[in-house]
Amino acid sequence: MTFIVRPRSRQWFRRFFRVSVPAGIWFVMAGLSLCLAQGRDPASLQAQFPGATPLEIEGDIASEMVDGIDRFLLGKLDQSAAAREQHWQRDFTSPQTYTRSVQPNRDRLARMFGAHENRVTPVVIERNFVVGSSVDDSLSGYRVYSVRWPVLEDPDPGRSIVSVYGEGLLLEPIEPSAVAANVVALPDCDQTPGQISGLTAGIEPELQFAKRLAERDCRVLVPMLISREIKSRGGRAKLTDREYVYRAAFVLGRHPIGYEVQMVRAAIDSFSASRPIGVIGAGEGGRIALATAALDERVDAVCVGGSFGASETVWTEPIDRNVFGWLAEFGNAETLTLVAPRKALINHAQTPARSFDGSGGGAPGTIRSIHLSEGKQEVERARQLVRPLIENEHWQLDETAFSEAPCDQSTTDRFVELLIDRPRADRPQRDVDVVHQVDEAAMQTRLVEQLDRHNQLLLRESPFVRRAFLKDLDTNSVEDYVQSTQRYRQIFRDDVIGHFDDPLLPPNARVRKTWQQPGWTGYEVVLDVFEDVIAYGVLIVPDDVKPGEKRPVVVCQHGLEGRPTDTFLGDHRAYHDFAAELAERGFITFAPQNPYLFKDRFRTLQRKANPLGKTLFSVIVPQHQQIVDWLKSLPQVDPQRIAFYGLSYGGKSAMRIPALVTDYCLSICSADFNEWVLKNASTRHPFSYVGTGEYEIFEWNLAETFNYSEMAALICPRPFMVERGHFDGVATDQWVAYEYAKVRNLYAARLKIGERTEIEWFDGPHTINGQGTFDFLHKHLNWPKPPSE
């Protein structure tokens, strides 16, 4: 008995097939049982799929797949600390040799933070006006100034215009000779310079550590940090200031942490080397203080307050702490080792917990209090990493008693004594006499606007940076070109997508016949990839495949929150059953389940992968490699004719997967191709991701490496096509044409293989059109069109 499903009953059949059926239609159940038995018969499966066993998994296999990837990534995070040592070659012969031996690590950390740009030189602190003063009876004391200082210039090498200034307060002893040390004091990002300087309300006197440092005769610069105040962005997503800056910066190879480190280092550029230099911070300021001291050897002592613990749960924290690749080489302990043999004070005080639920479109995250035992354990791990060096008396590491007050008076006093190497008499504690109010809200606004503007300037320069990056591509011949792409493919794999070194497991194919239509049969397929990671999809085989015949395959990839069935059941408005229609044309098709579904469940996979220097595609690519390897093993498949065709997020896949899985003989990007870096980093264009809820979409440093035309260059010389609806909101026609013109130039003008690339424009929205692309498949897979065409 054969059970046939008519097109208009596909959805009904799928529901009917998966649930129990009322009594009275036992004859239908008998037919279903026979069909199921045929689908699970080992002998039948072996004939079509050598080595396969019946698929017995029930329930939502996609959900099981996502859970498995989650376990895999959490395991990698747990293993990261042990794996970091392979990146270090510490030499403890002397402090000088140690410093030289870790310089490569320091340089890589600067890149991870995006703190590698040349700063403005020279730096002069501009005093805007006097805010107030604190003077004792002997007329000794300090004045408070509102200040700014230049940090970064317009990245255009032909322009010398400052684009980013640091702003804040300067607490300066009245008598210059009284200055004992130069210190940068960094408040938590939810505090202001005025609060820790005793000028404005909101901080208890005990925690006004900038004021306390000034009373100890330190010259204290207090920068404004980027806040976590949530704001509406032009009627779109509600984001914190830090996430707003982070989103564009991340794609541009920059980061809020890097920008703030650059502000601190620019301030240090202005300091005289004749005085000790210290950096102290509380909460988020403590993180910036540690990063600065790790990167800048001029810092003699650092104090980190309330922010030093284990790093492996960073994916649960605010997304502006997401540093690509940090945990592959660093954690807080490893970062601290870059301070050695200089002085450090770690304060294990707890900071207030705070949560962001992501309801406004921003990324969810939690700031948690770090328990004393966790902080001490991470400090001890740092001690063990540099034990031969810290036995030297020139490096001290002190811990204050556990409290709920980072950088309180006791901590600040101990830091001063550590910095200037001798106790010093206190000045009487006095309130600051305020003579001029500082508009700190306007200061915050200016800071965010300047960083946003600098991001947009980097975006403007990015095509020139990528052109220089790709200068070694050799277009003298197709053969030379293929050879020259190998180095760039390696960079794309390792530094952009991220690659797990785990070998692929044996596929252990499990197959179940689940759908049968006039002309084709659909099989669910599950393959092993890594431990805990499976690949899942639906193979559709035309019924007229003859024994010994080898057919081309088209891998049909769904988009965001999609399912394989979307590509062949129910005439979905975006997919129009294109996998089924291609099967009716004689192609074998395979519809993989990609893991970008279940909203935050998959978005947090990206969060877990990024600190390891990996992405969601670090798992998707090996899934596809396993799929292709298995397809090539089937007797009815021509291994030289396996194509990729994806829509929307599947179009994103069409740019990245075939660039790395070279077994794909061609790629079609539908409803996604555009000026991808612009789409991610622009805060001007309405189609930008900066203002959407898709917080996982941003990929590290694409601006300096691979936009879509550069990804297409890795697919070249294999055939490549773009399918573009005029009314598709992913971008405008102009930007799509701009980016595709570079692809066309490579194929047609430089390599003289213009027949291998096309773009089809059609009058429609975000959807499969299935006309020019089908012709492209027939042409390049060498498969005849239906007689009706």
Side-chain angles (χ1 to χ4, degrees), residues 75-117:
K76 292 297 184 182
L77 286 167
D78 289 342
Q79 299 160 16
S80 63
R84 290 171 203 155
E85 279 306 289
Q86 63 183 308
H87 300 288
W88 296 79
Q89 301 294 326
R90 297 184 179 92
D91 183 344
F92 296 112
T93 305
S94 70
Q96 294 74 26
T97 59
Y98 174 80
T99 298
R100 287 195 296 270
S101 72
V102 299
Q103 189 59 46
N105 305 87
R106 202 187 312 277
D107 293 340
R108 287 192 292 270
L109 185 62
R111 277 281 176 181
M112 291 177 190
F113 287 149
H116 56 281
E117 282 183 86

Side-chain angles (χ1 to χ4, degrees), residues 747-785:
Y747 275 81
R750 298 165 68 188
L751 293 175
K752 312 302 181 186
I753 52 172
E755 73 282 357
R756 299 188 195 180
T757 187
E758 297 179 24
I759 185 169
E760 181 192 35
W761 306 88
F762 67 93
D763 188 14
H766 191 75
T767 184
I768 293 285
N769 191 46
Q771 295 183 29
T773 52
F774 284 12
D775 291 342
F776 193 79
L777 289 167
H778 281 289
K779 173 183 176 181
H780 292 286
L781 294 178
N782 192 26
W783 186 252
K785 294 183 181 181

Side-chain angles (χ1 to χ4, degrees), residues 283-292 304 307 317 321 326 332 370:
E284 208 67 35
R287 293 172 178 270
I288 305 306
L290 176 61
T292 302
V304 181
S307 55
E317 299 172 12
R321 293 179 179 175
W326 186 52
N332 277 325
I370 301 169

Side-chain angles (χ1 to χ4, degrees), residues 598-722:
F598 307 122
K599 298 183 179 178
D600 282 338
R601 282 179 63 192
F602 94 81
R603 293 195 163 102
T604 56
L605 296 180
Q606 184 87 316
R607 292 291 312 274
K608 291 162 188 168
N610 273 186
L612 298 168
K614 308 295 189 289
T615 65
L616 198 58
F617 280 99
S618 303
V619 176
I620 295 174
V621 166
Q623 284 179 317
H624 275 259
Q625 187 64 65
Q626 190 76 303
I627 288 168
V628 170
D629 289 347
W630 180 73
L631 288 172
K632 290 166 64 176
S633 75
L634 301 183
Q636 61 270 52
V637 168
D638 182 347
Q640 303 303 314
R641 292 187 291 169
I642 302 178
F644 192 101
Y645 185 177
L647 172 108
S648 192
Y649 220 118
K652 294 174 183 45
S653 301
M655 300 308 304
R656 292 157 179 80
I657 296 170
L660 295 175
V661 181
T662 55
D663 303 275
Y664 282 121
C665 68
L666 66 81
S667 182
I668 300 174
C669 177
S670 176
D672 186 71
F673 189 90
N674 59 73
E675 217 283 16
W676 184 249
V677 172
L678 179 85
K679 183 175 177 64
N680 280 264
S682 173
T683 53
R684 181 72 175 89
H685 294 82
F687 53 77
S688 169
Y689 277 121
V690 169
T692 74
E694 294 171 279
Y695 58 82
E696 90 297 340
I697 206 74
F698 306 95
E699 296 163 281
W700 174 250
N701 201 23
L702 287 186
E704 295 184 334
T705 54
F706 297 92
N707 204 341
Y708 270 12
S709 63
E710 288 81 20
M711 293 182 199
L714 297 182
I715 297 170
C716 181
R718 291 167 287 162
F720 173 74
M721 184 175 181
V722 172

